[in-house]
Amino acid sequence: MVSLKLQKRLAASVLKCGEKKIWLDPNEINEISLANSRRNIARLERDGLIFKKPTVVHSRARVTLRNEAKRKGRHTGTGKRRGTANARLPVKVLWMRRIRVLRRLLKKMRDAKKIDKHIYHTLYMLAKGNQFKNKRVLLETIHDKKREMAEEKALAEQAVARKSRAKARLARKAARESDKSSAPEE
């Protein structure tokens, strides 16, 4: 049998693929063996005596199915885990997600004038100190703070009103006494 090593190499070069992908027609070995140039190989390729084999299919169907099952929680038990819990989903990543959510909420509420800069700062520092487990807890705290501030404001207003009333009462009393003291002299 004739060696077609040269023809295979030239065909691989002409068809821009590996030698493994070259198919030479076994019935036309003699004609192929006469081709010793790239031009001859190209002509044989046009005639269909040499062609490039199709790529072998490497199906991902099973992978897709398995990933769908994993999404449902299958194949993820203790026996399937290689890394530590922290390697699989780092605590730092969870922290970053949580703190970003909380800071975004605080910023949004400050920009919407729902909280003033003082409440914002205290809550920001509390969030940094890991005081809030999630958004819900932070919102509850914000509502509590706002309620406390409203109560303080109401109390302050009441105190001011009380003081002004007392001052007015004292002024009236002083006026009355001055009237009394001036009346008997006349």
Side-chain angles (χ1 to χ4, degrees), residues 52-132:
K52 183 179 175 180
K53 291 183 198 168
T55 53
V56 178
V57 174
H58 184 181
S59 172
R60 282 190 56 81
R62 286 185 298 279
V63 178
T64 311
L65 276 173
R66 192 173 181 82
N67 287 343
E68 277 176 22
K70 272 193 173 180
R71 213 165 292 131
K72 291 178 185 170
R74 320 285 186 266
H75 319 292
T76 51
T78 46
K80 290 286 180 189
R81 299 178 198 169
R82 295 299 297 273
T84 61
N86 196 42
R88 289 161 66 85
L89 182 56
V91 173
K92 185 177 179 180
V93 169
L94 293 173
W95 163 259
M96 278 166 20
R97 281 182 195 166
R98 178 157 53 107
I99 200 72
R100 281 172 185 171
V101 165
L102 298 178
R103 285 175 178 172
R104 204 178 301 128
L105 176 71
L106 283 171
K107 191 169 181 295
K108 196 170 82 177
M109 293 195 87
R110 183 188 61 184
D111 293 344
K113 302 277 190 287
K114 290 186 178 174
I115 55 174
D116 64 352
K117 63 182 183 179
H118 305 293
I119 292 181
Y120 170 85
H121 184 69
T122 54
L123 293 177
Y124 187 99
M125 296 315 280
L126 287 173
K128 185 182 179 182
N130 198 17
Q131 288 287 308
F132 308 118

Coordinates of all heavy atoms in Angstrom, one line a residue, residues 52-132:
K52 N -12.7 17.4 4.3 CA -12.5 17.6 5.7 C -13.7 17.0 6.5 O -14.8 17.3 6.2 CB -12.5 19.2 6.0 CG -12.2 19.6 7.4 CD -12.3 21.1 7.4 CE -12.1 21.7 8.8 NZ -12.1 23.2 8.7
K53 N -13.4 16.1 7.4 CA -14.4 15.4 8.1 C -15.1 16.4 9.0 O -14.5 17.4 9.5 CB -13.8 14.3 9.0 CG -13.3 13.1 8.3 CD -12.8 12.1 9.3 CE -11.8 11.1 8.7 NZ -11.2 10.4 9.8
P54 N -16.4 16.2 9.3 CA -17.2 17.2 10.2 C -16.7 17.1 11.6 O -16.1 16.0 12.0 CB -18.6 16.7 10.1 CG -18.5 15.3 9.7 CD -17.3 15.1 8.8
T55 N -16.9 18.1 12.3 CA -16.4 18.1 13.7 C -17.3 17.2 14.5 O -18.5 17.0 14.3 CB -16.5 19.5 14.4 OG1 -17.9 20.0 14.2 CG2 -15.6 20.5 13.8
V56 N -16.6 16.5 15.5 CA -17.3 15.5 16.3 C -18.2 16.3 17.3 O -17.7 17.2 17.9 CB -16.3 14.6 17.1 CG1 -17.0 13.6 18.0 CG2 -15.4 13.9 16.1
V57 N -19.4 15.8 17.4 CA -20.4 16.5 18.3 C -20.0 16.2 19.8 O -19.8 15.0 20.1 CB -21.8 16.1 18.0 CG1 -22.8 16.7 19.0 CG2 -22.2 16.5 16.6
H58 N -19.9 17.2 20.6 CA -19.7 17.0 22.0 C -20.9 17.6 22.7 O -21.0 18.8 23.0 CB -18.4 17.7 22.5 CG -18.1 17.5 23.9 ND1 -17.0 18.0 24.5 CD2 -18.7 16.7 24.9 CE1 -16.9 17.6 25.8 NE2 -18.0 16.9 26.0
S59 N -21.9 16.8 22.9 CA -23.2 17.3 23.4 C -23.2 17.8 24.8 O -22.5 17.2 25.7 CB -24.3 16.2 23.3 OG -25.5 16.6 23.9
R60 N -23.9 18.9 25.1 CA -24.0 19.4 26.4 C -25.4 19.1 27.0 O -25.8 19.7 28.0 CB -23.8 20.9 26.5 CG -22.3 21.2 26.4 CD -22.0 22.7 26.6 NE -22.6 23.2 27.9 CZ -22.0 23.0 29.1 NH1 -20.8 22.4 29.2 NH2 -22.5 23.5 30.2
A61 N -26.2 18.2 26.4 CA -27.5 18.0 26.8 C -27.6 17.4 28.2 O -28.4 17.9 29.1 CB -28.2 17.0 25.9
R62 N -26.7 16.5 28.5 CA -26.7 15.9 29.9 C -26.3 17.0 30.9 O -26.8 17.0 32.0 CB -25.7 14.7 29.9 CG -26.2 13.5 29.2 CD -25.3 12.3 29.4 NE -24.0 12.6 28.8 CZ -23.7 12.4 27.5 NH1 -24.7 12.0 26.7 NH2 -22.5 12.6 27.1
V63 N -25.3 17.8 30.5 CA -24.9 18.9 31.5 C -26.1 19.8 31.8 O -26.3 20.2 32.9 CB -23.7 19.7 30.8 CG1 -23.3 20.8 31.8 CG2 -22.6 18.8 30.5
T64 N -26.8 20.2 30.7 CA -28.0 21.1 30.9 C -29.0 20.5 31.8 O -29.5 21.1 32.7 CB -28.6 21.4 29.5 OG1 -27.6 21.7 28.6 CG2 -29.6 22.5 29.6
L65 N -29.3 19.2 31.6 CA -30.2 18.5 32.5 C -29.8 18.5 33.9 O -30.5 18.8 34.8 CB -30.4 17.0 32.0 CG -31.4 16.8 30.9 CD1 -31.4 15.4 30.4 CD2 -32.8 17.2 31.3
R66 N -28.5 18.2 34.1 CA -28.0 18.1 35.5 C -28.0 19.5 36.1 O -28.3 19.6 37.3 CB -26.5 17.6 35.4 CG -26.0 17.2 36.8 CD -24.7 16.6 36.7 NE -24.2 16.2 38.0 CZ -24.5 15.1 38.7 NH1 -25.4 14.3 38.2 NH2 -24.0 14.9 39.9
N67 N -27.7 20.5 35.4 CA -27.7 21.9 35.9 C -29.2 22.3 36.3 O -29.4 23.0 37.3 CB -27.1 22.9 35.0 CG -25.6 22.8 34.9 OD1 -25.0 22.2 35.7 ND2 -25.0 23.4 33.8
E68 N -30.1 21.9 35.5 CA -31.5 22.1 35.9 C -31.9 21.5 37.2 O -32.6 22.0 38.0 CB -32.5 21.6 34.7 CG -32.6 22.6 33.6 CD -33.4 22.1 32.5 OE1 -34.2 21.2 32.7 OE2 -33.3 22.6 31.3
A69 N -31.4 20.2 37.3 CA -31.7 19.5 38.6 C -31.0 20.1 39.7 O -31.6 20.3 40.8 CB -31.2 18.0 38.4
K70 N -29.8 20.6 39.5 CA -29.1 21.3 40.6 C -29.8 22.6 41.0 O -29.8 22.9 42.2 CB -27.6 21.6 40.1 CG -26.6 20.5 40.4 CD -25.2 21.1 40.2 CE -24.2 20.0 40.6 NZ -22.9 20.5 40.4
R71 N -30.4 23.2 40.0 CA -31.1 24.5 40.3 C -32.3 24.2 41.3 O -32.7 25.0 42.1 CB -31.7 25.1 39.0 CG -31.7 26.6 39.1 CD -31.9 27.2 37.7 NE -30.7 27.0 36.9 CZ -30.8 26.6 35.6 NH1 -31.9 26.3 35.1 NH2 -29.6 26.4 34.9
K72 N -32.8 22.9 41.1 CA -33.9 22.5 42.0 C -33.4 22.0 43.4 O -34.2 21.7 44.3 CB -34.7 21.4 41.4 CG -35.5 21.8 40.2 CD -36.2 20.6 39.6 CE -36.9 21.0 38.3 NZ -37.4 19.7 37.6
G73 N -32.0 21.9 43.5 CA -31.5 21.5 44.7 C -31.0 20.0 44.8 O -30.6 19.5 45.8
R74 N -31.1 19.3 43.6 CA -30.6 17.9 43.6 C -29.1 17.9 43.5 O -28.5 18.9 43.1 CB -31.2 17.1 42.4 CG -32.6 17.4 42.1 CD -33.6 16.7 43.1 NE -35.0 16.9 42.7 CZ -35.7 17.9 43.1 NH1 -35.3 18.8 43.9 NH2 -37.0 18.0 42.7
H75 N -28.4 16.8 43.9 CA -27.0 16.6 43.7 C -26.2 17.6 44.5 O -25.1 18.0 44.0 CB -26.5 16.6 42.3 CG -27.4 15.9 41.3 ND1 -27.6 14.6 41.3 CD2 -28.2 16.4 40.3 CE1 -28.5 14.3 40.4 NE2 -28.9 15.3 39.8
T76 N -26.7 18.2 45.6 CA -25.9 19.2 46.3 C -25.8 18.9 47.8 O -25.6 19.7 48.6 CB -26.6 20.6 46.2 OG1 -28.0 20.5 46.5 CG2 -26.4 21.1 44.8
G77 N -26.0 17.6 48.1 CA -25.9 17.1 49.5 C -24.4 17.2 50.0 O -23.5 17.6 49.3
T78 N -24.2 16.8 51.2 CA -22.9 16.9 51.8 C -21.9 16.0 51.0 O -20.7 16.4 51.0 CB -22.9 16.4 53.3 OG1 -23.7 15.2 53.4 CG2 -23.6 17.4 54.2
G79 N -22.3 14.9 50.5 CA -21.4 14.0 49.8 C -20.9 14.6 48.5 O -19.9 14.2 47.9
K80 N -21.6 15.7 47.9 CA -21.2 16.3 46.7 C -20.3 17.5 46.9 O -19.9 18.1 45.9 CB -22.4 16.6 45.9 CG -23.2 15.5 45.3 CD -22.5 14.8 44.2 CE -23.3 13.6 43.7 NZ -22.5 12.9 42.7
R81 N -20.1 17.9 48.1 CA -19.4 19.2 48.3 C -17.9 18.9 48.5 O -17.5 18.1 49.3 CB -20.0 19.9 49.6 CG -21.4 20.2 49.4 CD -22.0 20.8 50.6 NE -23.5 20.8 50.6 CZ -24.2 21.0 51.6 NH1 -23.7 21.4 52.8 NH2 -25.5 21.0 51.5
R82 N -17.1 19.7 47.8 CA -15.6 19.6 48.0 C -15.0 20.7 48.8 O -14.1 20.5 49.6 CB -15.0 19.5 46.6 CG -15.3 18.4 45.7 CD -14.9 17.0 46.3 NE -13.5 16.9 46.5 CZ -12.7 16.4 45.6 NH1 -13.2 16.0 44.4 NH2 -11.4 16.3 45.8
G83 N -15.6 21.9 48.6 CA -15.0 23.0 49.4 C -15.8 23.3 50.7 O -16.9 22.7 50.9
T84 N -15.2 24.1 51.6 CA -15.9 24.5 52.8 C -17.0 25.4 52.4 O -17.1 25.9 51.3 CB -14.9 25.3 53.7 OG1 -14.5 26.4 53.0 CG2 -13.7 24.4 54.1
A85 N -17.9 25.6 53.4 CA -19.1 26.4 53.2 C -18.6 27.8 52.8 O -19.2 28.5 51.9 CB -19.9 26.5 54.4
N86 N -17.5 28.3 53.4 CA -17.0 29.6 53.1 C -16.4 29.7 51.7 O -16.4 30.8 51.1 CB -16.0 30.0 54.2 CG -15.7 31.5 54.2 OD1 -16.7 32.3 54.1 ND2 -14.5 31.9 54.3
A87 N -15.8 28.6 51.3 CA -15.2 28.6 49.9 C -16.3 28.6 48.9 O -16.2 29.2 47.8 CB -14.4 27.4 49.7
R88 N -17.5 27.9 49.2 CA -18.5 27.8 48.2 C -19.3 29.1 48.1 O -19.7 29.5 47.0 CB -19.5 26.7 48.6 CG -18.9 25.3 48.4 CD -19.6 24.3 49.2 NE -21.0 24.0 48.8 CZ -21.3 23.2 47.8 NH1 -20.4 22.6 47.1 NH2 -22.6 23.1 47.4
L89 N -19.6 29.8 49.2 CA -20.2 31.1 49.2 C -19.6 31.9 50.4 O -20.1 31.8 51.5 CB -21.7 31.0 49.3 CG -22.5 32.3 49.3 CD1 -22.2 33.0 48.0 CD2 -24.0 32.0 49.4
P90 N -18.6 32.7 50.1 CA -17.9 33.4 51.2 C -18.8 34.3 52.0 O -19.7 34.9 51.5 CB -16.9 34.2 50.4 CG -16.7 33.6 49.1 CD -18.1 33.0 48.8
V91 N -18.5 34.3 53.3 CA -19.2 35.2 54.2 C -19.0 36.7 53.8 O -20.0 37.5 53.9 CB -18.6 35.0 55.7 CG1 -19.2 36.0 56.6 CG2 -18.9 33.6 56.1
K92 N -17.9 37.0 53.2 CA -17.6 38.3 52.8 C -18.6 38.8 51.7 O -19.1 39.9 51.7 CB -16.2 38.5 52.3 CG -15.8 39.9 51.9 CD -14.3 40.0 51.5 CE -14.0 41.4 51.1 NZ -12.6 41.6 50.7
V93 N -18.8 37.8 50.8 CA -19.8 38.1 49.7 C -21.2 38.4 50.2 O -21.8 39.4 49.8 CB -19.8 37.0 48.7 CG1 -20.9 37.2 47.7 CG2 -18.5 36.9 47.9
L94 N -21.6 37.6 51.2 CA -22.9 37.8 51.8 C -22.9 39.2 52.5 O -23.9 39.9 52.4 CB -23.2 36.7 52.8 CG -23.4 35.3 52.3 CD1 -23.5 34.3 53.4 CD2 -24.6 35.2 51.4
W95 N -21.9 39.5 53.2 CA -21.8 40.8 53.9 C -21.9 41.9 52.9 O -22.6 42.9 53.1 CB -20.5 40.9 54.7 CG -20.1 42.2 55.1 CD1 -19.2 43.1 54.5 CD2 -20.7 43.0 56.2 NE1 -19.2 44.3 55.1 CE2 -20.1 44.3 56.2 CE3 -21.7 42.7 57.2 CZ2 -20.4 45.3 57.1 CZ3 -22.0 43.7 58.1 CH2 -21.4 45.0 58.0
M96 N -21.1 41.8 51.8 CA -21.1 42.9 50.8 C -22.5 43.1 50.2 O -23.0 44.2 50.1 CB -20.1 42.6 49.7 CG -18.7 42.9 50.1 SD -17.4 42.3 49.0 CE -18.1 41.8 47.5
R97 N -23.2 42.0 49.9 CA -24.5 42.1 49.4 C -25.5 42.8 50.4 O -26.2 43.7 50.0 CB -25.1 40.7 49.1 CG -24.6 40.1 47.9 CD -25.3 38.7 47.7 NE -24.5 37.9 46.7 CZ -24.7 36.6 46.5 NH1 -25.6 36.0 47.2 NH2 -24.1 36.0 45.6
R98 N -25.4 42.4 51.7 CA -26.3 42.9 52.7 C -26.0 44.4 52.9 O -26.9 45.2 52.9 CB -26.1 42.2 54.0 CG -27.0 42.7 55.1 CD -27.2 41.6 56.1 NE -26.0 41.0 56.6 CZ -25.5 41.2 57.8 NH1 -26.1 42.1 58.7 NH2 -24.4 40.6 58.2
I99 N -24.7 44.8 53.1 CA -24.4 46.2 53.4 C -24.7 47.1 52.2 O -25.1 48.2 52.4 CB -22.9 46.3 53.8 CG1 -22.6 47.6 54.6 CG2 -21.9 46.2 52.7 CD1 -23.2 47.5 56.0
R100 N -24.6 46.6 51.0 CA -24.9 47.4 49.8 C -26.4 47.7 49.8 O -26.8 48.8 49.5 CB -24.4 46.7 48.6 CG -22.9 46.9 48.3 CD -22.4 46.1 47.2 NE -21.0 46.2 47.1 CZ -20.2 45.5 46.3 NH1 -20.8 44.6 45.5 NH2 -18.9 45.7 46.3
V101 N -27.2 46.7 50.1 CA -28.6 46.8 50.1 C -29.0 47.9 51.2 O -29.8 48.8 50.9 CB -29.3 45.5 50.4 CG1 -30.8 45.7 50.8 CG2 -29.3 44.6 49.3
L102 N -28.4 47.8 52.4 CA -28.8 48.7 53.5 C -28.3 50.1 53.2 O -29.1 51.1 53.4 CB -28.1 48.2 54.8 CG -28.5 46.8 55.3 CD1 -27.8 46.5 56.6 CD2 -30.0 46.8 55.6
R103 N -27.1 50.2 52.6 CA -26.6 51.6 52.3 C -27.4 52.2 51.2 O -27.7 53.4 51.2 CB -25.1 51.5 52.0 CG -24.3 51.3 53.2 CD -22.8 51.1 52.9 NE -22.0 51.0 54.1 CZ -20.7 50.7 54.1 NH1 -20.1 50.5 53.0 NH2 -20.1 50.6 55.3
R104 N -27.8 51.4 50.2 CA -28.6 51.9 49.1 C -30.0 52.5 49.7 O -30.4 53.6 49.3 CB -28.9 50.8 48.1 CG -29.2 51.3 46.7 CD -29.4 50.2 45.7 NE -28.2 49.3 45.7 CZ -28.3 48.0 45.8 NH1 -29.4 47.4 46.0 NH2 -27.2 47.3 45.7
L105 N -30.6 51.7 50.6 CA -31.8 52.1 51.2 C -31.7 53.4 52.0 O -32.5 54.4 51.8 CB -32.4 51.0 52.1 CG -33.6 51.4 52.9 CD1 -34.8 51.4 51.9 CD2 -33.9 50.4 54.0
L106 N -30.6 53.5 52.8 CA -30.4 54.7 53.6 C -30.2 55.9 52.7 O -30.8 57.0 52.9 CB -29.1 54.5 54.5 CG -29.3 53.7 55.7 CD1 -28.0 53.4 56.4 CD2 -30.3 54.3 56.7
K107 N -29.4 55.8 51.6 CA -29.1 56.9 50.7 C -30.4 57.3 50.0 O -30.7 58.5 49.9 CB -28.1 56.4 49.6 CG -27.6 57.5 48.8 CD -26.4 57.0 48.0 CE -25.7 58.1 47.1 NZ -26.6 58.6 46.1
K108 N -31.3 56.3 49.6 CA -32.5 56.7 48.9 C -33.4 57.5 49.8 O -34.0 58.4 49.4 CB -33.2 55.3 48.5 CG -34.3 55.5 47.4 CD -34.7 54.2 46.9 CE -35.8 53.6 47.8 NZ -36.3 52.3 47.3
M109 N -33.5 57.0 51.1 CA -34.4 57.7 52.1 C -33.9 59.1 52.4 O -34.7 60.0 52.6 CB -34.6 56.9 53.3 CG -35.3 55.6 53.0 SD -35.9 54.7 54.5 CE -37.5 55.5 54.7
R110 N -32.6 59.2 52.5 CA -32.0 60.6 52.8 C -32.3 61.5 51.6 O -32.6 62.7 51.8 CB -30.5 60.5 53.0 CG -29.9 61.8 53.4 CD -28.4 61.7 53.4 NE -27.8 61.4 52.1 CZ -26.5 61.1 51.9 NH1 -25.6 61.2 52.9 NH2 -26.1 60.8 50.7
D111 N -32.1 61.0 50.3 CA -32.3 61.8 49.2 C -33.8 62.2 49.0 O -34.1 63.3 48.5 CB -31.8 61.1 47.9 CG -30.3 60.9 47.9 OD1 -29.6 61.6 48.7 OD2 -29.8 60.1 47.1
A112 N -34.7 61.3 49.5 CA -36.1 61.6 49.4 C -36.6 62.4 50.6 O -37.8 62.6 50.8 CB -36.9 60.3 49.3
K113 N -35.6 62.9 51.4 CA -35.9 63.7 52.6 C -36.8 63.0 53.6 O -37.5 63.6 54.4 CB -36.6 65.0 52.2 CG -35.8 65.9 51.2 CD -34.7 66.7 52.0 CE -34.1 67.8 51.1 NZ -33.2 67.2 50.1
K114 N -36.8 61.7 53.6 CA -37.6 60.9 54.6 C -36.8 60.8 55.9 O -37.4 60.7 57.0 CB -37.9 59.5 54.1 CG -38.9 59.5 53.0 CD -39.3 58.2 52.6 CE -40.4 58.2 51.5 NZ -40.7 56.9 50.9
I115 N -35.5 60.9 55.9 CA -34.7 61.0 57.1 C -33.7 62.1 56.9 O -33.2 62.4 55.8 CB -33.9 59.6 57.4 CG1 -33.1 59.2 56.2 CG2 -34.9 58.5 57.8 CD1 -32.2 58.0 56.5
D116 N -33.3 62.7 58.0 CA -32.3 63.8 57.9 C -30.9 63.2 58.0 O -30.7 62.0 58.2 CB -32.6 64.9 59.0 CG -32.4 64.3 60.4 OD1 -32.2 63.1 60.5 OD2 -32.4 65.1 61.4
K117 N -29.9 64.1 57.8 CA -28.5 63.6 57.7 C -28.0 63.0 59.1 O -27.2 62.2 59.1 CB -27.6 64.7 57.3 CG -27.5 65.9 58.2 CD -26.6 66.9 57.6 CE -26.4 68.1 58.5 NZ -25.5 69.1 57.9
H118 N -28.6 63.5 60.2 CA -28.2 63.0 61.5 C -28.6 61.5 61.7 O -27.8 60.7 62.1 CB -28.7 63.9 62.6 CG -28.3 65.3 62.4 ND1 -27.0 65.7 62.5 CD2 -29.0 66.4 62.1 CE1 -26.9 67.0 62.3 NE2 -28.2 67.5 62.0
I119 N -29.9 61.3 61.4 CA -30.4 59.9 61.5 C -29.6 59.0 60.5 O -29.2 57.9 60.8 CB -31.9 59.8 61.2 CG1 -32.7 60.5 62.3 CG2 -32.4 58.4 61.1 CD1 -34.2 60.5 62.1
Y120 N -29.4 59.6 59.3 CA -28.7 58.8 58.3 C -27.3 58.4 58.8 O -27.0 57.2 58.7 CB -28.5 59.7 57.0 CG -27.6 59.1 56.0 CD1 -28.0 58.2 55.1 CD2 -26.2 59.4 56.0 CE1 -27.2 57.6 54.1 CE2 -25.4 58.9 55.0 CZ -25.8 58.0 54.1 OH -25.0 57.4 53.2
H121 N -26.6 59.3 59.4 CA -25.3 59.0 59.9 C -25.3 57.9 61.0 O -24.5 57.0 61.0 CB -24.6 60.2 60.4 CG -23.1 60.0 60.7 ND1 -22.2 59.7 59.8 CD2 -22.5 60.0 62.0 CE1 -21.0 59.5 60.5 NE2 -21.2 59.7 61.7
T122 N -26.2 58.1 61.9 CA -26.2 57.1 63.1 C -26.6 55.7 62.5 O -25.9 54.8 62.9 CB -27.3 57.5 64.1 OG1 -28.5 57.8 63.5 CG2 -26.8 58.8 64.9
L123 N -27.6 55.7 61.6 CA -28.0 54.4 61.1 C -26.9 53.8 60.2 O -26.7 52.6 60.2 CB -29.3 54.5 60.3 CG -30.5 54.8 61.2 CD1 -31.7 55.0 60.3 CD2 -30.8 53.8 62.2
Y124 N -26.2 54.6 59.5 CA -25.1 54.2 58.6 C -24.0 53.5 59.4 O -23.5 52.4 59.1 CB -24.5 55.4 57.8 CG -23.5 55.0 56.8 CD1 -23.8 54.9 55.5 CD2 -22.1 54.8 57.1 CE1 -22.9 54.6 54.5 CE2 -21.2 54.4 56.2 CZ -21.6 54.4 54.9 OH -20.6 54.1 53.9
M125 N -23.7 54.1 60.6 CA -22.6 53.6 61.4 C -23.1 52.3 62.1 O -22.4 51.3 62.3 CB -22.2 54.6 62.5 CG -21.5 55.8 61.9 SD -20.3 55.5 60.6 CE -18.9 55.0 61.6
L126 N -24.4 52.2 62.4 CA -25.0 51.0 63.0 C -25.0 49.9 62.0 O -24.7 48.7 62.4 CB -26.4 51.3 63.5 CG -26.6 52.1 64.8 CD1 -28.0 52.4 65.0 CD2 -26.0 51.4 66.0
A127 N -25.3 50.2 60.8 CA -25.3 49.2 59.7 C -23.8 48.7 59.6 O -23.6 47.5 59.4 CB -25.8 49.8 58.4
K128 N -22.9 49.6 59.6 CA -21.5 49.2 59.5 C -21.1 48.3 60.6 O -20.3 47.4 60.5 CB -20.6 50.4 59.4 CG -19.1 50.1 59.2 CD -18.3 51.3 59.2 CE -16.8 50.9 59.0 NZ -15.9 52.1 59.0
G129 N -21.7 48.5 61.8 CA -21.4 47.7 63.0 C -22.2 46.4 63.1 O -22.3 45.8 64.1
N130 N -22.9 46.0 62.0 CA -23.6 44.8 61.9 C -24.8 44.7 62.8 O -25.1 43.7 63.4 CB -22.6 43.6 62.2 CG -23.1 42.3 61.7 OD1 -24.1 42.2 60.9 ND2 -22.6 41.2 62.2
Q131 N -25.5 45.8 62.9 CA -26.7 45.9 63.8 C -28.0 45.4 63.1 O -28.9 45.0 63.8 CB -26.9 47.3 64.3 CG -25.9 47.8 65.3 CD -26.1 47.1 66.6 OE1 -27.2 47.1 67.2 NE2 -25.0 46.5 67.1
F132 N -28.0 45.5 61.8 CA -29.2 45.2 61.0 C -29.0 43.9 60.2 O -28.2 43.8 59.4 CB -29.6 46.3 60.1 CG -29.7 47.6 60.8 CD1 -28.8 48.7 60.5 CD2 -30.5 47.8 61.9 CE1 -28.9 49.9 61.2 CE2 -30.6 49.0 62.6 CZ -29.8 50.0 62.2

